[in-house]
């Protein structure tokens, strides 16, 4: 079934959350919190710690490139994880997927915190780092599709944008937690931070995993998915392959990837590469850690604000505005980094990412769920979300570092890179067709008429 084009809607009626909906939000958000905690933490460490710990024999520039290369490697298995866990989610249930991914993420992230330095075990250190990073990418690859599908399918009438955006509030909490822990530990003696201090946040991922498992034990499948499984069972035929069903309409799969590109690079250009850019220019890493905390705090509030706005104005309008804002504001953001003034650097992080980037993050996952039918939804969301993150976000710090090196330290090639990706995302978004509240459209109209 092909979706219809989304249109501007009036404000939806107020909704009272049921206990099931509250449990679903909590269970979905904790996984997203873990996903972003793991990835933001790795990004911060790859910018400020890993070059010295795992690539100490290289020059500073080569060590930074090598560190960001391991960051990119984690994204290579995200599409694989998306397909594997997308199949499990669409065939056997979203809950099973979310339990497996959150346990795997916790174990592999903690393993990174236990890897000895290259000074201790030589080449084995970066090899172990890359191996753990790849497993991290595999499990993370199945997380967002399952969480977004579960949460959005449980959303009240006319509130899918808000519900989907609450997942990104979890990302904001992760931002605050990861950057806060790194900033606090980095404020002590450098010798402690560079040996054991940076490892503590990675080991803390085990605590988050335990909390997530407790919350997710009580998740329930949505009525829409349960009805689909009942229909398949009643027909006494084998359920179709979710991947084959997605590829029957390749336009939506391709557009989902293109739509996600600007969202995927925003944080990794402005925050992850931005941190390395600042440090190489003589700015203390602490300034970047604190700025990331500020952005994370804003993310907690702004994501649901943008999500609720998309329920009224339409997902596409909000997302396109985010794409255009990112293209226009990335240059001023890096100009503010160049002032070396902490307050202005933090303003640059807000201007470059918090304002436009969260607008995209807060609407993407709901848009993707509305582009696919229930029997293929987890797989469809994972294809769009994970491939765009692999092609975009995973390579963004590496590409940005190489571009600045090629330009002799100038930031203009990075700005051009951002503008091109933002334009691609905006055009793809305008081209896409999606259905607002597909399962609930009739009930929404009935409520408005009553």
């Amino acid at each position: 079934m092909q979706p219809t084009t989304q249109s501007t809607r009036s404000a939806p009626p107020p909704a009272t959350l049921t206990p099931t909906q509250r449990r679903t939000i909590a269970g979905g958000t904790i996984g997203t919190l873990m996903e972003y905690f793991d990835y933001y933490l790795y990004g911060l460490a790859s910018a400020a710690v890993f070059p010295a710990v795992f690539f100490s024999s290289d020059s500073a520039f080569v060590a930074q490139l090598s560190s960001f290369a391991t960051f990119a490697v984690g994204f290579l298995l995200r599409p694989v994880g998306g397909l594997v866990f997308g199949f499990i989610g669409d065939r056997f249930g979203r809950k099973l997927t979310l339990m497996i991914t959150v346990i795997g993420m916790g174990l592999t992230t903690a393993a990174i915190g236990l890897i000895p330095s290259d000074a201790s075990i030589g080449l084995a250190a970066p090899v172990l780092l890359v191996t753990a990073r790849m497993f991290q990418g595999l499990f993370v690859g199945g997380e967002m599709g399952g969480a977004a599908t579960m949460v959005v399918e449980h959303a009240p009438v006319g509130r899918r944008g808000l519900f989907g955006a609450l997942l990104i509030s979890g990302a904001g909490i992760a931002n605050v937690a990861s950057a806060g822990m790194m900033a606090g530990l980095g404020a002590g003696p450098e010798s402690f931070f560079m040996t054991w201090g940076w490892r503590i946040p990675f080991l803390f991922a085990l605590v988050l995993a335990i909390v997530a498992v407790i919350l997710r034990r009580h998740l329930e499948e949505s009525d829409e998915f349960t009805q689909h499984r009942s229909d398949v069972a009643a027909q006494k035929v084998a359920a179709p392959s979710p991947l084959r069903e997605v590829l029957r309409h390749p336009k939506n799969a391709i557009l989902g990837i293109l739509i996600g590109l600007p969202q995927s690079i925003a944080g990794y250009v402005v925050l992850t590469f931005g941190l390395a850019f600042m440090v190489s220019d003589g700015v203390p890493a602490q300034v970047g850690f604190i700025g990331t905390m500020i952005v994370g705090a804003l993310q907690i509030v702004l994501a649901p604000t943008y999500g609720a706005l998309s329920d009224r104005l339409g997902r596409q309008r909000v997302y396109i505005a985010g794409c255009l804002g990112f293209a226009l504001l990335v240059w001023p953001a890096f100009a503010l980094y160049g002032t070396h003034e902490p307050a202005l650097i933090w303003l640059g992080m807000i201007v470059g990412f918090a304002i436009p980037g969260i607008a995209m993050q807060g609407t993407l996952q709901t848009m993707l769920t509305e582009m696919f039918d229930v029997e293929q939804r987890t797989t469809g969301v994972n294809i769009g979300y994970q491939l765009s993150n692999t092609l975009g976000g995973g390579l963004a710090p590496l590409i940005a570092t190489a571009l600045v090196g090629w330009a002799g330290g100038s930031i203009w090639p990075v700005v051009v890179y951002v503008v091109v990706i933002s334009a691609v995302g905006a055009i793809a978004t305008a081209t896409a067709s999606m259905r607002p509240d597909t399962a609930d459209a009739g009930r929404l109209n009935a409520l408005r008429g009553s």
Side-chain angles (χ1 to χ4, degrees):
M1 174 171 44
Q2 286 294 322
T4 56
T5 302
Q6 184 182 16
S7 59
T8 304
R9 301 181 296 281
S10 58
T16 301
L17 299 185
T18 65
T20 297
Q21 289 169 334
R22 293 192 186 97
R23 287 195 297 269
T24 303
I25 291 175
T29 301
I30 187 65
T32 309
L33 190 159
M34 274 202 67
E35 175 189 355
Y36 279 87
F37 178 84
D38 294 350
Y39 265 65
Y40 283 146
L41 183 61
Y42 195 100
L44 293 171
S46 65
V49 176
F50 291 167
V53 173
F54 296 113
F55 305 98
S56 59
S57 61
D58 298 324
S59 68
F61 178 71
V62 173
Q64 188 65 74
L65 280 177
S66 299
S67 180
F68 278 152
T70 68
F71 178 81
V73 162
F75 286 81
L76 296 179
L77 284 187
R78 286 181 68 155
V80 177
L83 292 177
V84 171
F85 293 112
F87 174 83
I88 294 173
D90 286 329
R91 184 63 63 86
F92 303 106
R94 322 320 192 187
K95 179 179 177 178
L96 177 60
T97 290
L98 295 179
M99 292 295 284
I100 296 172
T101 56
V102 79
I103 293 171
M105 281 163 38
L107 291 175
T108 52
T109 301
I112 292 172
L114 297 175
I115 299 173
S117 68
D118 65 347
S120 300
I121 60 173
L123 183 61
V127 170
L128 288 173
L129 179 66
V130 169
T131 302
R133 177 65 173 165
M134 291 181 73
F135 275 102
Q136 189 186 50
L138 178 70
F139 290 112
V140 168
E143 175 62 33
M144 178 56 83
T149 300
M150 175 75 83
V151 169
V152 172
E153 285 181 348
H154 277 88
V157 180
R159 299 289 186 183
R160 285 189 167 178
L162 174 60
F163 263 50
L166 290 173
L167 295 175
I168 305 304
S169 290
I173 298 171
N175 243 336
V176 174
S178 60
M181 293 182 77
M182 292 291 275
L185 292 164
E190 183 178 1
S191 59
F192 169 75
F193 179 68
M194 296 301 290
T195 52
W196 288 105
W198 69 267
R199 300 176 185 274
I200 294 174
F202 283 85
L203 297 175
F204 181 70
L206 281 178
V207 178
L208 292 178
I210 293 171
V211 174
V213 168
I214 293 172
L215 289 173
R216 288 184 168 181
R217 285 179 56 200
H218 304 289
L219 291 179
E220 300 175 16
E221 300 293 349
S222 69
D223 292 340
E224 189 177 1
F225 180 72
T226 302
Q227 183 62 50
H228 162 67
R229 286 206 294 191
S230 298
D231 292 343
V232 171
Q235 294 170 6
K236 297 181 179 180
V237 295
S241 164
L243 178 59
R244 185 167 61 245
E245 289 299 300
V246 169
L247 296 180
R248 285 179 59 193
H249 305 298
K251 173 186 174 183
N252 281 353
I254 294 170
L255 286 177
I257 297 168
L258 298 178
I259 289 169
L261 286 176
Q263 176 272 157
S264 72
I265 74 169
Y268 295 125
V269 167
V270 177
L271 303 182
T272 303
F273 166 73
L275 175 59
F277 182 81
M278 295 177 211
V279 171
S280 67
D281 200 32
V283 176
Q286 290 290 101
V287 174
F289 293 155
I290 294 171
T292 303
M293 289 176 59
I294 295 171
V295 168
L298 290 173
Q299 199 169 15
I300 297 170
V301 178
L302 286 179
T305 301
Y306 282 126
L309 191 63
S310 77
D311 283 325
R312 301 194 62 171
L313 301 180
R315 323 273 183 243
Q316 288 156 294
R317 292 183 178 182
V318 175
Y319 194 86
I320 290 172
C323 291
L324 298 178
F326 183 35
L328 292 172
L329 295 175
V330 66
W331 181 281
F334 277 91
L336 289 169
Y337 290 174
T339 65
H340 289 214
E341 292 291 332
L344 293 179
I345 289 173
W346 298 333
L347 177 62
M349 298 172 83
I350 294 171
V351 166
F353 176 72
I355 294 174
I358 299 173
M360 294 184 285
Q361 285 187 344
T363 51
L364 176 66
Q365 54 283 336
T366 306
M367 277 203 302
L368 291 176
T369 62
E370 292 175 345
M371 292 171 67
F372 300 96
D373 292 320
V374 62
E375 69 272 11
Q376 57 183 261
R377 188 168 291 149
T378 308
T379 300
V381 173
N382 276 340
I383 287 175
Y385 186 79
Q386 302 304 345
L387 278 176
S388 64
N389 272 278
T390 297
L391 299 173
L395 297 175
L398 188 63
I399 290 174
T401 301
L403 287 174
V404 168
W406 170 77
S410 176
I411 200 65
W412 71 262
V414 176
V415 175
V416 173
Y417 165 58
V418 167
V419 170
V420 170
I421 295 295
S422 297
V424 169
I427 294 169
T429 303
T431 306
S433 299
M434 57 198 67
R435 53 176 86 73
D437 288 19
T438 50
D440 296 327
R443 287 194 289 137
L444 180 57
N445 292 331
L447 282 170
R448 286 179 180 149
S450 60

